[in-house]
Amino acid sequence: MGNGAAGRVFLLALVVLLAQQMAPASADKKPCVIFFLDFPANPSALLATITNDFRILYDFSVIRGLALQIDDGVLTLLEKLPGVLKVIPGRLLQLRTTHSWEFLGLAENGKEARAWSSANFGEGTIIGNIDTGVWPQSPSFQDDGFGVPSGWRGICDKGCDPTFQCNNKLIGARFFSEGIQAELWLSSLVGGDGGGDQGNNKMPSKEDLSSPRDYQGHGAHTLSTAGGSRARGAGVFGHGEGAASGGAPRARVAAYKACYAAAGCSDLDVLAAVLAAVADGVHVLSLSLGPEVAGDYLSDPIAIGAFYAVQRGVAVVCAGGNSGPRPGTVTNVAPWMFTVGASTMDRDFPAYVSFGDSLAIEGQSLGASTLPLGQEYPMISGENANAANQPTSNSSLCLAGSLDPAKVAGKIVVCVRGVNGRIEKGLVVKQAGGVGMVLCNDDASEDSVLADPHLVAAAHCSYSQCAKLFNYLHSTNNPLGYINATDASFGVKPAPAMADFSSRGPNVITPQILKPDITAPGVSVIAAYSGAVSPTELPFDGRRVAYNIMSGTSMACPHVSGVVALLKAKYPSWSPAMIKSAIMTTATTVANDGNPIQDETGAEATPFSYGSGHVNPVAAMDPGLVYDTTLADYANFLCSLKPTRNPVQDVQGNLPVGLPISLPANLSDLLLLPLFDAAGEPCACSRSSKGPYGRPEDLNYPSIAVPCLSGSGGSTTVRRRLKNVGDGPGKYRVTVTEPAGVKVTVVPGELDFRVGEEKEFAVTLDVADAAAAAGEYVFGSIVWSDANGSDDVDAYGRPGANGAHAHRVRSPIVVKTKCG
């Protein structure tokens, strides 16, 4: 399962399974991955020197690694075997449209813009999606006369599903489940096949584990968003009807299944999928998944696999996480990953709640209206609808069994968000005889609302809007009202705005690298879905849909993956770093009302929310200049992360990387060998005048972050290189927006490029006003722009109708003047 031949350069990421009749692994066996200085000729013989009780899950010899299921008690012994560099325990990861491409400027009034066609809609590129699989029958994956691109070496592994079919659009499919089965082995022992629970994780069915078919919907949704073909008639229960399309609709797509419904994803399965996708010949990898908490790069199998992909020319795009708006929650933060946050677009699905004497509030819904429309129904708060022996704290949340049918029958119930699912609350109301539900945010959820396919007439309303409704309910003995859920509304302002759930910076592993990198549409996105599961993913929902609406950084990630595929099609020789730079430096920080992008509170958002800004694919097609981060740049970056015994950042800004202190003095060089190996030539750390290996903030990255300015006497200088990728020579001048209390000097202030030329510049930051900087993060930017051409752009900074515009190459600056 999930295995196949690899190319000569791209070694196999094989699934090496022991015989199925092998004795069951004991419940205390844990999955892990071992990295070697040199991959042993006989790994089993080496392991047998400490134990014979192990199971090989995957052969990662292409990166000098091996995935095992082995007794937890011998992990420390593994680290002492000859040639072993690192032992990393396995862990579970979590999964983190019809209109979005118009919002992003690639289409207008149903017609494709010139920028989209200039990239031939992604023709010739291959997008690999590591997720829950794919639903091949979806119109988004139908073969419309495509051919298989040259260089494709993948397969269509149907597994146990004879009905699964690939074609010249969906050109490949694989599945990887050894890691998740090892993670959940105990639950299978307890509950039998598919029945055991371990925490919140449930062993998937045999059918799910044994084919690339999507039994959850997440994989079909994300893959179609990135590269689905144009499909007419997409919508959800009559809402948002239109033509669905991926960002690169003529790209070919391949599904790599490594995630399983409620169980999540094993990082070992994901790593196996990454290596297989690279061997197969994909150009872009899209990963709408990640850990709950960011991990250091040398202990994160996904970061290691992503680097291997990037150095082979494969761009890796990842979701930043859904743990916002708390600071420091962004994950997938390695600088070679393209990390995406989530924001809104200018479409929503309004649902109005009318009550009292011409009072009304607005929310969101994909549910129905109360019928007949305009007929008033009695209203009751969940707090007042509690069943016998049920506390009002339960009934206010509309928890299962908390409502009294005698109080609820024929009424609209007002429920408060929290604890159980939003759609589940509607089911509780429906089962108690209610005709509708108003779902109200609590004060912690503020004004962020979502459109859901509710099972009852419903509207999800903000905390501030619901305050009016609760005032009304408390002011009368006979409250009446009705719900009117309308179709999609377009041109909503301001948009984009940051989603409250989108994880925020700073980067807690290396704050010298700003994360997330970019934001993209991730709220109420309509895309393909699985026919095996309901739109709510709830077992009591018998409905099935071809397209569904979903929200999350999982939905934002494939938007960027689609744009990456377009750029790869237009500029096939560009490195992943050049493509990433083109997208980051052309991003916009302005919403469609002409004001700065807002966060979930209505305040001005910062780069910790959106990185470089909101993706602007039209401008990215012609960036003018790019930052090209090389293999040597990445190697020196990792070498600069010196190990420390202190679990928090020390005063020099060095960060811990979770490495054994007892390793030899040439620690960094040794650890880089399995990671940085281009065409068989390992990279070594180079030394510079700034220190043994330079500093993390000197990585040639499209953004600038200095988290410890005062630690170097209130002044520091970072260096960057820009390459001219325009059609001709160009002269660029810099404009600086200084962070509060910080003076920024760029030398030289003018760069004169020949075609293809690369030049270096320095950015010096000095504390000019300590009181203004206040010891907290402050934000600014530098913008390089050429002196020629008209500046014909629209409100988003996209080129105007004639396509002429001055290039604007923008890098955000993030500075903290207080260390620690």
Side-chain angles (χ1 to χ4, degrees):
M1 60 194 327
N3 52 14
R8 181 175 61 85
V9 176
F10 303 87
L11 299 178
L12 264 201
L14 290 177
V15 181
V16 183
L17 302 179
L18 296 187
Q20 295 300 316
Q21 293 77 23
M22 176 182 178
S26 60
D28 59 350
K29 283 191 174 179
K30 306 295 183 186
C32 68
V33 59
I34 311 172
F35 288 101
F36 300 92
L37 177 60
D38 291 301
F39 194 79
N42 190 340
S44 294
L46 178 63
L47 296 169
T49 62
I50 58 172
T51 180
N52 288 315
D53 191 12
F54 62 87
R55 181 168 176 251
I56 296 176
L57 302 177
Y58 296 108
D59 180 339
F60 297 148
S61 56
V62 68
I63 54 172
R64 300 186 179 96
L66 190 71
L68 301 175
Q69 188 178 14
I70 197 165
D71 193 293
D72 193 33
V74 303
L75 290 182
T76 55
L77 296 178
L78 286 176
E79 294 179 338
K80 297 178 181 179
L81 285 174
V84 170
L85 289 175
K86 187 76 174 172
V87 177
I88 304 174
R91 61 176 175 173
L92 289 176
L93 310 176
Q94 297 302 316
L95 295 166
R96 298 276 192 262
T97 114
T98 55
H99 175 68
S100 52
W101 302 111
E102 289 197 10
F103 178 58
L104 294 178
L106 291 179
E108 185 174 356
N109 298 322
K111 297 181 179 180
E112 296 87 0
R114 182 169 59 183
W116 214 353
S117 59
S118 73
N120 203 15
F121 307 99
E123 175 73 36
T125 58
I126 303 169
I127 301 173
N129 191 47
I130 300 178
D131 212 294
T132 61
V134 66
W135 191 257
Q137 291 92 336
S138 170
S140 291
F141 306 119
Q142 295 310 297
D143 186 351
D144 295 323
F146 293 105
V148 177
S150 61
W152 173 247
R153 298 174 292 275
I155 62 173
C156 186
D157 186 352
K158 302 178 182 181
C160 69
D161 186 350
T163 66
F164 190 98
Q165 297 291 333
C166 295
N167 55 38
N168 287 338
K169 174 65 178 183
L170 176 64
I171 59 175
R174 294 174 180 248
F175 56 98
F176 303 85
S177 62
E178 292 303 304
I180 198 70
Q181 292 186 72
E183 291 280 2
L184 302 180
W185 191 269
L186 177 60
S187 67
S188 68
L189 294 178
V190 173
D193 290 341
D197 290 296
Q198 186 180 42
N200 293 323
N201 301 313
K202 185 174 182 179
M203 180 64 76
S205 67
K206 288 182 177 179
E207 292 78 11
D208 197 5
L209 291 169
S210 304
S211 86
R213 184 173 294 280
D214 183 6
Y215 287 91
Q216 200 239 17
H218 194 273
H221 197 281
T222 52
L223 183 55
S224 67
T225 300
S229 297
R230 188 173 179 84
R232 300 189 180 279
V236 186
F237 300 118
H239 297 274
E241 295 284 348
S245 174
R250 290 197 63 81
R252 310 313 191 269
V253 297
Y256 296 84
K257 183 176 180 178
C259 300
Y260 297 87
C265 329
S266 163
D267 56 0
L268 304 188
D269 292 334
V270 175
L271 177 56
V274 169
L275 300 181
V278 174
D280 288 346
V282 304
H283 301 108
V284 183
L285 267 175
S286 192
L287 282 72
S288 290
L289 52 85
E292 290 297 321
V293 179
D296 71 75
Y297 313 135
L298 297 179
S299 296
D300 182 355
I302 310 308
I304 293 170
F307 189 89
Y308 172 78
V310 166
Q311 73 178 33
R312 261 73 180 168
V314 179
V316 181
V317 187
C318 300
N322 299 333
S323 299
R326 291 182 295 114
T329 52
V330 64
T331 62
N332 292 323
V333 294
W336 46 87
M337 292 172 160
F338 201 168
T339 311
V340 187
S343 44
T344 65
M345 54 182 138
D346 66 340
R347 177 191 66 188
D348 61 15
F349 298 90
Y352 301 92
V353 183
S354 299
F355 53 91
D357 187 12
S358 301
L359 297 175
I361 59 175
E362 180 179 347
Q364 298 279 310
S365 182
L366 289 178
S369 305
T370 51
L371 297 174
L373 189 62
Q375 176 180 318
E376 293 185 321
Y377 291 86
M379 304 183 77
I380 186 171
S381 68
E383 182 181 16
N384 293 332
N386 60 308
N389 301 318
Q390 283 288 330
T392 58
S393 58
N394 284 356
S395 62
S396 65
L397 293 167
C398 297
L399 302 183
S402 67
L403 301 181
D404 184 350
K407 298 177 181 177
V408 168
K411 296 179 181 178
I412 297 171
V413 182
V414 181
C415 305
V416 176
R417 186 178 184 179
V419 184
N420 59 339
R422 299 184 302 274
I423 297 171
E424 185 179 347
K425 294 176 188 291
L427 175 68
V428 173
V429 170
K430 183 176 182 180
Q431 289 174 334
V435 298
M437 174 186 68
V438 181
L439 175 58
C440 284
N441 279 354
D442 56 10
D443 56 354
S445 301
E446 296 182 338
D447 289 346
S448 177
V449 297
L450 296 168
D452 291 310
H454 291 284
L455 295 160
V456 66
H460 181 190
C461 300
S462 69
Y463 179 73
S464 59
Q465 290 275 289
C466 280
K468 305 171 187 176
L469 177 58
F470 280 114
N471 287 338
Y472 169 71
L473 293 177
H474 295 152
S475 67
T476 178
N477 293 324
N478 186 33
L480 298 171
Y482 63 92
I483 297 170
N484 180 17
T486 64
D487 196 6
S489 175
F490 299 92
V492 175
K493 294 183 179 182
M498 294 308 303
D500 66 332
F501 57 77
S502 186
S503 292
R504 306 304 208 259
N507 178 345
V508 297
I509 304 303
T510 45
Q512 299 92 337
I513 303 298
L514 175 63
K515 291 286 179 171
D517 293 306
I518 201 85
T519 189
V523 177
S524 299
V525 176
I526 296 175
Y529 202 60
S530 169
V533 66
S534 73
T536 62
E537 300 178 36
L538 298 173
F540 49 73
D541 187 355
R543 299 174 297 175
R544 296 294 183 267
V545 293
Y547 288 83
N548 197 14
I549 189 165
M550 300 179 77
S551 297
T553 57
S554 285
M555 285 63 250
C557 169
H559 277 89
V560 174
S561 301
V563 177
V564 169
L566 293 178
L567 283 166
K568 185 66 177 178
K570 188 170 184 178
Y571 305 106
S573 65
W574 281 15
S575 69
M578 294 169 71
I579 292 173
K580 179 179 180 179
S581 173
I583 295 172
M584 289 176 63
T585 59
T586 57
T588 180
T589 60
V590 177
N592 58 356
D593 63 354
N595 294 313
I597 293 174
Q598 296 180 0
D599 67 14
E600 74 287 348
T601 69
E604 183 175 338
T606 76
F608 287 148
S609 298
Y610 54 63
S612 292
H614 188 261
V615 61
N616 185 343
V618 176
M621 297 293 170
D622 181 20
L625 307 174
V626 295
Y627 297 86
D628 188 11
T629 314
T630 66
L631 175 60
D633 291 330
Y634 286 130
N636 283 334
F637 165 79
L638 278 178
C639 289
S640 72
L641 303 180
K642 311 170 199 65
T644 174
R645 297 176 189 271
N646 191 339
V648 296
Q649 184 178 351
D650 63 27
V651 294
Q652 281 77 38
N654 301 328
L655 292 175
V657 289
L659 305 175
I661 300 301
S662 59
L663 285 179
N666 60 341
L667 167 70
S668 295
D669 295 288
L670 288 176
L671 285 171
L672 290 175
L673 289 175
L675 299 180
F676 302 100
D677 183 358
E681 293 296 329
C683 295
C685 299
S686 63
R687 298 175 182 268
S688 74
S689 59
K690 305 181 196 67
Y693 310 115
R695 304 172 303 165
E697 55 264 45
D698 283 322
L699 179 68
N700 196 44
Y701 209 69
S703 56
I704 296 172
V706 178
C708 185
L709 185 57
S710 63
S712 55
S715 178
T716 194
T717 298
V718 298
R719 300 184 183 278
R720 294 291 189 270
R721 303 186 313 274
L722 278 168
K723 179 183 291 186
N724 180 20
V725 293
D727 293 333
K731 181 179 290 186
Y732 285 78
R733 295 183 177 88
V734 72
T735 301
V736 176
T737 300
E738 294 182 331
V742 177
K743 179 176 176 56
V744 179
T745 306
V746 181
V747 178
E750 184 176 291
L751 296 172
D752 199 349
F753 291 94
R754 296 190 298 273
V755 175
E757 187 176 17
E758 187 174 42
K759 290 196 170 184
E760 183 177 287
F761 65 94
V763 181
T764 300
L765 300 100
D766 296 283
V767 177
D769 185 341
E776 299 299 326
Y777 279 104
V778 287
F779 309 98
S781 66
I782 60 170
V783 177
W784 293 95
S785 60
D786 53 18
N788 301 318
S790 65
D791 195 16
D792 179 20
V793 296
D794 65 10
Y796 301 93
R798 300 185 296 233
N802 64 12
H805 67 288
H807 297 103
R808 297 182 73 256
V809 185
R810 181 182 181 276
S811 293
I813 298 175
V814 174
V815 184
K816 189 177 183 183
T817 60
K818 180 181 179 182
C819 295

